[in-house]
Amino acid sequence: MNAAGKQGILIKRASSRKRSRDLLKTHLTPAGKRGGATCSQPCPAAGRPGSTMAAEFCSDSEDLFGDYDSLLEDSALLEKLDHAEQLDFTALRHKEPGEDVLTDSILDVLVDEDLHSSQRLFEDQVDRPPKKSRAQDGDRVLSPLGDAGDTRKRRSVADRMKRAMICNAAAPSSVSRGAKMKEAVVSEEISIAMRAMDTVCAETPDLGPFFGLPTRVKELMFKLRGIKDLYDWQQTCLNLDCVQRRKNLIYSLPTSGGKTLVAEILVLRELLCRRKDCLFILPYISLVQEKVRGLASFGLELDFLVEEYAGSKGRFPPVKRRNNRSVYIATIEKAHSLVNSLIETGRVEDLGLVVVDELHMLGDGSRGAIIEMTLAKVLFTSKSTQIIGMSATLGNIKDLQTFLRAENYTNDFRPVQLKEYVKLTDTIYEVDPTEEECFRFSRLLNFKYSSSMQKVDPDHIIALVTEVIPTHSCLVFCPTKKNCENVVGMICKYLKKEFLTFRQTEKAVLLCELKASGSGSACPVLRRTVPYGLAYHHSGLTSEERKLVEEAYSNGVLCLLTCTSTLAAGVNLPARRVILRSPYVAADFLRRSQYKQMVGRAGRAGIDAVGESVLILQDADRHAAKTLICAPMEKCYSNLLRDGARGLLSLILSLIGLNEALCTETSLKEEVQRCVDLLRDKDLVTETAQGQTLQVTKLGRATFKGCVDLTYSDLLYKDLSKGLEGLLLNSCLHLVYLVTPYDMITQCRPDWMVFFRQFTMLTDAEQKMSAAVGVPESFIARKAAGQTVRKPVNMEVVSRMYLALVLFTLLKETNLWSVSERFHLSRGFIQSLLGSSSAFCSCVLHFTEELEEFWPFRALLTELTRRLSYCVTAELIPLMEVAGVMESRAKQLYNAGYQTLTRLANADPALLSNAIENLFPKRAQQIVASAKMLLNEKAAALQEEVDELLMKP
């Protein structure tokens, strides 16, 4: 009864493999859906690549019907169709003359009208050969009038249905069937993981193919990160019962143990399986930008948004998205503002997961207090938000567990073994806590020093570094920024000329990039050291220079960096050997946690079999170093009461402003009452008419919503009020002065000659504005001439005006190098000033939005925030918004034709890499991915606004 056989049609399968639906089912598939049915045609054993495979993708050429040819094989259905056809035709034979008759030609028309184009073509080829009669010998001929002489034949309805099915299977599609199958498998795995997470118990820790995530995530991990397998501790941690039950967790391991990957997998699981937003808190802007670039590619592939909250970037509250989930990558300060805005709008429950990197920073001054406030608010206002903290080993981890109501997982795993040494005179000792003195003799240095060389390098740094470079890498931590530059210059003087030939071409390219980043200027120290494969790294460099140096070191172009302790807490740059030039950071002796962070950079996973650290000591520091190396880790304490309880004051103000309940333990009652009285004195809070509760004043609300330090809130209000009286609008100097950060004043002393010279270049209106805020020309002239000033002047205002003049000059010229030379300030300090000013400008903008009297500032500060954030010409700003694109790269992109965000987002990474000089393919992929993510984020925000406007009331 096979119609295909009657017509002589050969149906050839593209793949011999037949797959039952049962193959796609796992032990997590609900029993009701698994069923007990088996294939009608068993699959050959050889056709299965593996019996344990849970799911399988197929290509476009593969037979997707498998065992589902049930319609063609079901003889009962075909018999019913033939029977119905016979009844129809019998009725037609007895029709009276004049009645409508369904002829074969009419049937053809009716059928053909609804046929797919590919099916119509198939009919033409098979059933309608040109110039040929439909009559065939041996075929049954049916006439509606029962006339045997009628040679026209009616094709069977069953034949037509079978042919239509075959054509549908062969019809081309705009979307490949392979892609559809992949999407179906991913969706199925996500739904399985979601069901499993709802019903998970301790006996079923395995949630799916990749820790509750689709197989696609594992493929992306390998494609984008090169990660094929997880370490044993990572698998154990992800399968912990507390993780499966979404309890809070603190896990601590040594530096470079792979802590971040676990957090990223948990973030992806929250985004994809639970469809909740996530907050990832990092300590520095550079780390935020690096994480944004790293997750952008995952976001594009898995359909979630990556939003940056650093500096002046970020919306408060964030855009509420109906279809997409977001991961917010934020600095400590921005994370606090974000959580405040979510609590205020009643959306904190949308936050499914909060991840805190470097959790031990809870004990680090004012920033630690901000972390503590952020986590306390999340704990108090949301019962469904999970908190994950990553940290190096802490001495009082139990206290943190109690605070966060968290479980703890600790492991001493390191991917590369670490050997710690100390050096005294010319002797190397291995660190051994079991020894009485903590040190065990290892070896003597084997390097001959001349008398002149001994005077220049009494600590034998050259001997230590030449044992490993240029074949391996080395980091030298120095106590000060100036010492970094001196040490790298000293090492260069005594290196052999062979160092110049090692990767000479790449080093020449690096020098060109450094020069381009400085608009034609390059640091003289780097010009001298880079040809030898050496460089320094500290905050005196611009962020672009630091990025270039970091990339060159990671790629092996540079083999040695001299750096300050901040490198250990920032971007991960491991080395074969780490040398600590001194056990001091500036004038302070090293803390145990700082030491562990520095030596933790020793050993590169997958490259080195062992990592080494060498601490250079003097005899006077031997006893202190013993305590440093063998003592337990420091304890982490709350900083809310530090500096006159500034943290507690800020916490109380924000809780009152957010209408959250305020209850305290007896031990804190007196301190809280003192803080409330102080807030009342500052006119930040007041009692209600009944005197039963507290409420924030307008100034108080502006202070906590603008995240303005309580120390400066009243001062800022006075400055803004005074500014309104005579705001200078034909120049931005007055506005720049108002947003110059108060906490930067102490970091710079005015150079009076430079100050006077720059002041005389201002217009009359600008000089009058300076005098109005308290810095007259006569005062600056007297200071420049070295004369005594009798009339008292507020030196904080003077220093703030000096910094405002630096920023004002930078905004006009946009050349950081020339401004650095003119004011005799380091490039890094000026860039730090610029970044702090843009962030503070954003805070002042939110401050003014809450106070009606400051309405003129809102539009002015919005544009100033944008200018301070990038400090480039207007046409480059859209490109500078892309994470990781600095000024020089933005200029290259603009000149190459990628002048808008849309063009960059739609660029081919391979073509982009070829078009832009010194842009590696991997870096090009990251830039394009970041641009696409930013474009998607903006488009989604606009779409949300449109949907809200069109929503029916």
Side-chain angles (χ1 to χ4, degrees):
M1 186 171 173
N2 193 324
K6 290 182 181 181
Q7 295 290 343
I9 304 170
L10 178 62
I11 304 175
K12 183 179 180 181
R13 298 194 180 276
S15 171
S16 62
R17 290 184 291 173
K18 285 189 174 183
R19 294 168 296 122
S20 167
R21 289 187 187 272
D22 293 333
L23 283 177
L24 295 176
K25 295 178 182 175
T26 69
H27 67 287
L28 291 172
T29 305
K33 293 188 178 182
R34 277 200 290 261
T38 57
C39 297
S40 59
Q41 296 181 14
C43 303
R48 297 182 187 177
S51 60
T52 61
M53 184 170 61
E56 177 180 349
F57 294 148
C58 58
S59 65
D60 292 346
S61 61
E62 195 174 352
D63 177 16
L64 300 184
F65 282 98
D67 293 330
Y68 309 132
D69 298 346
S70 55
L71 191 58
L72 288 177
E73 299 296 334
D74 189 354
S75 57
L77 177 62
L78 299 182
E79 287 173 2
K80 291 175 185 176
L81 289 172
D82 281 339
H83 179 64
E85 185 180 18
Q86 291 290 346
L87 290 176
D88 251 353
F89 296 157
T90 304
L92 285 171
R93 287 192 188 99
H94 296 86
K95 283 191 178 290
E96 297 297 329
E99 292 188 50
D100 292 335
V101 177
L102 185 64
T103 62
D104 193 66
S105 59
I106 297 174
L107 182 64
D108 286 346
V109 171
L110 290 174
V111 173
D112 286 355
E113 281 179 350
D114 295 324
L115 282 180
H116 188 281
S117 58
S118 60
Q119 297 171 17
R120 188 177 296 110
L121 178 63
F122 185 87
E123 288 273 16
D124 291 341
Q125 292 174 344
V126 175
D127 296 309
R128 300 176 184 171
K131 306 299 182 182
K132 185 175 179 180
S133 170
R134 287 191 182 96
Q136 299 285 343
D137 292 339
D139 277 1
R140 184 162 54 105
V141 179
L142 292 174
S143 169
L145 301 178
D147 187 358
D150 188 352
T151 59
R152 290 178 304 169
K153 299 182 305 175
R154 177 179 307 281
R155 289 189 298 273
S156 166
V157 175
D159 291 347
R160 288 181 176 279
M161 289 189 67
K162 283 181 264 186
R163 275 195 291 274
M165 286 180 61
I166 295 169
C167 293
N168 281 334
S173 174
S174 58
V175 180
S176 71
R177 288 196 296 274
K180 288 181 179 178
M181 285 294 291
K182 288 181 181 180
E183 183 180 353
V185 171
V186 170
S187 300
E188 177 66 16
E189 289 179 349
I190 289 177
S191 64
I192 289 172
M194 290 178 69
R195 290 196 300 271
M197 290 187 75
D198 290 338
T199 58
V200 68
C201 63
E203 289 73 31
T204 58
D206 184 11
L207 299 182
F210 187 65
F211 304 103
L213 287 166
T215 311
R216 178 66 176 149
V217 176
K218 186 175 183 180
E219 295 172 356
L220 288 172
M221 282 290 178
F222 181 70
K223 176 184 175 182
L224 300 174
R225 301 276 183 85
I227 297 172
K228 191 173 184 180
D229 297 304
L230 271 63
Y231 294 129
D232 290 342
W233 83 262
Q234 291 171 327
Q235 298 185 40
T236 302
C237 186
L238 287 167
N239 286 319
L240 290 173
D241 179 63
C242 62
V243 175
Q244 308 298 347
R245 294 180 177 273
R246 298 191 70 255
K247 292 184 178 180
N248 296 344
L249 173 70
I250 301 170
Y251 61 98
S252 53
L253 285 94
T255 304
S256 303
K259 296 188 290 290
T260 306
L261 180 60
V262 170
E264 289 179 347
I265 290 174
L266 292 175
V267 166
L268 292 175
R269 190 159 71 179
E270 197 71 22
L271 291 165
L272 300 179
C273 297
R274 298 193 73 246
R275 303 294 295 169
K276 291 282 188 177
D277 296 329
C278 299
L279 172 60
F280 206 126
I281 305 175
L282 295 161
Y284 306 113
I285 293 177
S286 59
L287 294 180
V288 168
Q289 292 174 339
E290 183 184 31
K291 186 62 64 181
V292 169
R293 291 195 301 270
L295 289 178
S297 298
F298 285 93
L300 292 173
E301 294 283 349
L302 301 172
D303 194 27
F304 64 84
L305 297 175
V306 182
E307 301 186 39
E308 180 181 347
Y309 279 76
S312 61
K313 293 184 178 179
R315 299 188 183 197
F316 303 103
V319 177
K320 184 175 178 63
R321 308 189 190 281
R322 294 177 178 82
N323 302 318
N324 294 90
R325 296 292 95 191
S326 296
V327 53
Y328 310 115
I329 315 295
T331 56
I332 293 169
E333 294 77 11
K334 287 290 184 178
H336 185 220
S337 301
L338 180 65
V339 168
N340 279 345
S341 68
L342 290 174
I343 293 173
E344 186 177 24
T345 54
R347 292 168 48 196
V348 71
E349 294 289 345
D350 292 343
L351 206 57
L353 177 66
V354 175
V355 176
V356 186
D357 196 5
E358 310 293 351
L359 184 63
H360 57 269
M361 288 187 71
L362 265 169
D364 188 16
S366 60
R367 302 192 84 203
I370 296 174
I371 299 175
E372 188 175 351
M373 286 188 284
T374 304
L375 296 180
K377 289 173 184 176
V378 172
L379 283 167
F380 186 79
T381 58
S382 175
K383 303 301 181 185
S384 63
T385 303
Q386 185 183 20
I387 297 175
I388 302 292
M390 299 180 282
S391 174
T393 307
L394 292 171
N396 61 334
I397 197 74
K398 291 289 185 184
D399 294 337
L400 278 178
Q401 282 183 252
T402 303
F403 166 54
L404 293 177
R405 307 165 196 160
E407 303 288 333
N408 175 238
Y409 177 79
T410 303
N411 197 301
D412 60 358
F413 170 81
R414 274 186 57 88
V416 178
Q417 181 187 1
L418 171 64
K419 292 186 177 180
E420 299 176 46
Y421 300 93
V422 297
K423 187 192 81 69
L424 281 163
T425 61
D426 61 347
T427 307
I428 305 292
Y429 297 89
E430 186 173 356
V431 174
D432 187 355
T434 61
E435 294 284 330
E436 184 178 351
E437 293 298 317
C438 254
F439 307 133
R440 185 177 69 245
F441 173 81
S442 177
R443 62 188 175 91
L444 294 173
L445 280 176
N446 184 22
F447 192 90
K448 293 183 179 180
Y449 273 78
S450 63
S451 57
S452 60
M453 192 174 176
Q454 183 69 35
K455 291 178 182 179
V456 175
D457 183 25
D459 294 325
H460 307 100
I461 295 175
I462 296 173
L464 291 171
V465 301
T466 51
E467 288 178 348
V468 291
I469 65 171
T471 309
H472 300 288
S473 58
C474 182
L475 292 175
V476 181
F477 285 100
C478 301
T480 65
K481 290 184 281 190
K482 189 63 179 175
N483 193 236
C484 289
E485 299 177 35
N486 292 339
V487 168
V488 74
M490 179 266 294
I491 295 173
C492 275
K493 290 180 181 178
Y494 295 96
L495 289 181
K496 297 178 180 178
K497 298 299 181 185
E498 286 80 359
F499 279 80
L500 294 170
T501 60
F502 185 76
R503 303 191 71 163
Q504 189 172 4
T505 304
E506 290 100 320
K507 287 184 285 192
V509 169
L510 175 59
L511 281 174
C512 290
E513 290 181 324
L514 287 169
K515 191 174 181 180
S517 72
S519 301
S521 302
C523 172
V525 177
L526 292 178
R527 281 205 308 265
R528 187 170 72 253
T529 62
V530 166
Y532 287 91
L534 280 60
Y536 70 90
H537 184 290
H538 61 59
S539 60
L541 294 172
T542 65
S543 57
E544 189 162 7
E545 287 174 318
R546 289 197 299 271
K547 194 67 186 174
L548 289 170
V549 167
E550 289 163 6
E551 289 180 351
Y553 176 82
S554 298
N555 294 328
V557 177
L558 297 176
C559 58
L560 181 143
L561 294 182
T562 59
C563 51
T564 54
S565 59
T566 52
L567 180 70
V571 180
N572 185 23
L573 294 176
R576 171 64 176 271
R577 176 174 289 179
V578 170
I579 299 170
L580 279 67
R581 168 77 175 76
S582 166
Y584 291 88
V585 173
D588 300 323
F589 201 81
L590 275 178
R591 299 195 307 271
R592 171 77 170 165
S593 57
Q594 289 176 316
Y595 171 77
K596 278 296 185 183
Q597 268 194 329
M598 292 181 190
V599 302
R601 296 303 181 197
R604 297 167 297 173
I607 300 175
D608 298 323
V610 66
E612 303 170 344
S613 70
V614 181
L615 171 61
I616 299 175
L617 294 176
Q618 309 302 323
D619 284 329
D621 297 322
R622 181 166 186 162
H623 180 71
K626 176 183 174 182
T627 304
L628 169 70
I629 292 173
C630 299
M633 295 295 293
E634 295 100 341
K635 293 185 178 181
C636 178
Y637 296 108
S638 172
N639 279 273
L640 289 178
L641 299 179
R642 184 186 175 117
D643 297 333
R646 285 168 60 184
L648 186 57
L649 280 167
S650 178
L651 177 60
I652 293 172
L653 175 65
S654 60
L655 288 178
I656 296 172
L658 294 169
N659 296 318
E660 296 296 339
L662 184 62
C663 55
T664 61
E665 298 290 338
T666 306
S667 58
L668 281 175
K669 191 170 183 178
E670 291 182 3
E671 185 63 36
V672 170
Q673 185 60 52
R674 188 188 69 81
C675 291
V676 170
D677 292 340
L678 185 57
L679 292 172
R680 191 185 289 113
D681 293 342
K682 286 177 171 285
D683 195 30
L684 297 174
V685 299
T686 185
E687 292 182 356
T688 57
Q690 294 77 18
Q692 298 293 322
T693 58
L694 295 169
Q695 64 183 20
V696 291
T697 61
K698 290 183 178 180
L699 177 59
R701 181 169 297 279
T703 300
F704 91 81
K705 291 196 73 172
C707 287
V708 176
D709 193 317
L710 292 177
T711 310
Y712 308 118
S713 63
D714 53 346
L715 182 58
L716 176 62
Y717 184 84
K718 291 175 183 177
D719 285 343
L720 291 172
S721 299
K722 189 176 180 180
L724 279 180
E725 296 173 5
L727 186 61
L728 180 67
L729 293 177
N730 61 355
S731 167
C732 66
L733 178 60
H734 199 172
L735 282 174
V736 169
Y737 170 80
L738 292 172
V739 300
T740 300
Y742 294 102
D743 55 2
M744 294 286 290
I745 293 172
T746 58
Q747 299 183 31
C748 177
R749 289 185 176 182
D751 184 318
W752 298 110
M753 285 302 299
V754 173
F755 199 171
F756 180 71
R757 192 181 305 118
Q758 295 301 313
F759 190 90
T760 56
M761 297 171 64
L762 298 176
T763 65
D764 290 342
E766 289 166 345
Q767 291 182 3
K768 286 180 181 178
M769 168 259 147
S770 179
V773 299
V775 188
E777 181 181 9
S778 58
F779 170 78
I780 302 173
R782 284 180 177 273
K783 295 294 286 187
Q787 299 177 3
T788 304
V789 180
R790 294 192 180 96
K791 189 176 181 180
V793 175
N794 188 333
M795 288 305 299
E796 290 186 351
V797 173
V798 173
S799 296
R800 194 176 182 216
M801 188 67 209
Y802 184 71
L803 293 178
L805 200 55
V806 174
L807 290 168
F808 178 64
T809 307
L810 185 59
L811 286 176
K812 286 198 302 182
E813 299 187 6
T814 69
N815 189 323
L816 194 146
W817 276 80
S818 64
V819 175
S820 170
E821 292 172 358
R822 185 178 305 175
F823 285 88
H824 303 157
L825 296 170
S826 71
R827 305 180 301 282
F829 173 79
I830 294 178
Q831 193 170 60
S832 175
L833 173 64
L834 185 66
S836 298
S837 299
S838 69
F840 186 60
C841 187
S842 178
C843 292
V844 176
L845 174 59
H846 292 301
F847 183 88
T848 59
E849 286 174 345
E850 297 299 321
L851 297 167
E852 188 62 33
E853 61 266 35
F854 292 144
W855 66 266
F857 284 115
R858 295 170 195 168
L860 297 171
L861 292 178
T862 300
E863 179 57 28
L864 184 61
T865 301
R866 182 178 167 91
R867 291 185 63 188
L868 287 171
S869 298
Y870 305 107
C871 196
V872 292
T873 53
E875 64 269 14
L876 295 181
I877 288 179
L879 299 176
M880 292 280 288
E881 290 178 339
V882 178
V885 174
M886 304 295 182
E887 183 180 359
S888 62
R889 185 70 76 199
K891 288 179 179 177
Q892 286 181 313
L893 292 169
Y894 190 87
N895 294 332
Y898 301 98
Q899 298 175 349
T900 63
L901 180 62
T902 306
R903 288 189 180 182
L904 183 59
N906 289 287
D908 184 332
L911 296 177
L912 184 65
S913 178
N914 293 331
I916 305 299
E917 188 178 6
N918 306 325
L919 181 61
F920 297 106
K922 184 177 180 180
R923 188 82 181 98
Q925 289 176 354
Q926 287 184 332
I927 288 175
V928 172
S930 297
K932 285 181 179 178
M933 179 56 65
L934 182 59
L935 193 64
N936 289 348
E937 180 187 332
K938 291 188 174 187
L942 291 172
Q943 186 61 51
E944 293 291 342
E945 290 183 20
V946 171
D947 293 343
E948 189 172 345
L949 287 171
L950 297 179
M951 186 182 297
K952 293 182 179 179

